[in-house]
Amino acid sequence: IFSHKERNYFLDSADLEPASGMHRYLYLLHAIAWAPKDKTEIGQIRVEYADGTSSDHDVVNKRDVANWWEPGTLVNGVPAWTGENNKSGVGLYLSKFALKGKKIKKIWATR
């Protein structure tokens, strides 16, 4: 869970060390809460490759991910898990980000 200006007690960033090998895509299983109404950047992923290069990927509301209540299909996100709570349908989105097909040193995500 990443923090927000109104809920700043969660993480601001996270570092991941992926499994070895060459990677062409990064898949995220994710959702957001208290989503903004418009299409706006809600986070960023930086991929650092073993050869010293990097690539940046914006995570955008209503393109890659959306509110976990009432999930629906997006341009780069489909509900991969759905369920129900006492008030609504809920779900997590699966998003796909193209990588350079190189060995990854580290993945860094921020809100």
Side-chain angles (χ1 to χ4, degrees), residues 3 5 11 13 36 40 57 67-68 70 72 78 92 96-97:
S3 68
K5 63 184 175 188
L11 294 175
S13 65
T40 185
H57 307 272
N67 199 314
W68 68 291
E70 303 289 335
V78 296
L92 296 174
K96 178 180 174 181
F97 298 88

Side-chain angles (χ1 to χ4, degrees), residues 45-101:
I45 301 162
R46 170 165 279 185
V47 179
E48 296 179 7
Y49 299 98
D51 67 1
T53 62
S54 64
S55 59
D56 293 328
H57 307 272
D58 294 335
V59 180
V60 176
N61 179 48
K62 296 188 177 185
R63 182 191 74 189
D64 307 308
V65 67
N67 199 314
W68 68 291
W69 283 52
E70 303 289 335
T73 301
L74 307 169
V75 171
N76 185 38
V78 296
W81 173 84
T82 58
E84 292 189 22
N85 64 20
N86 292 336
K87 297 182 180 182
S88 173
V90 296
L92 296 174
Y93 290 88
L94 179 66
S95 301
K96 178 180 174 181
F97 298 88
L99 303 179
K100 294 183 178 182

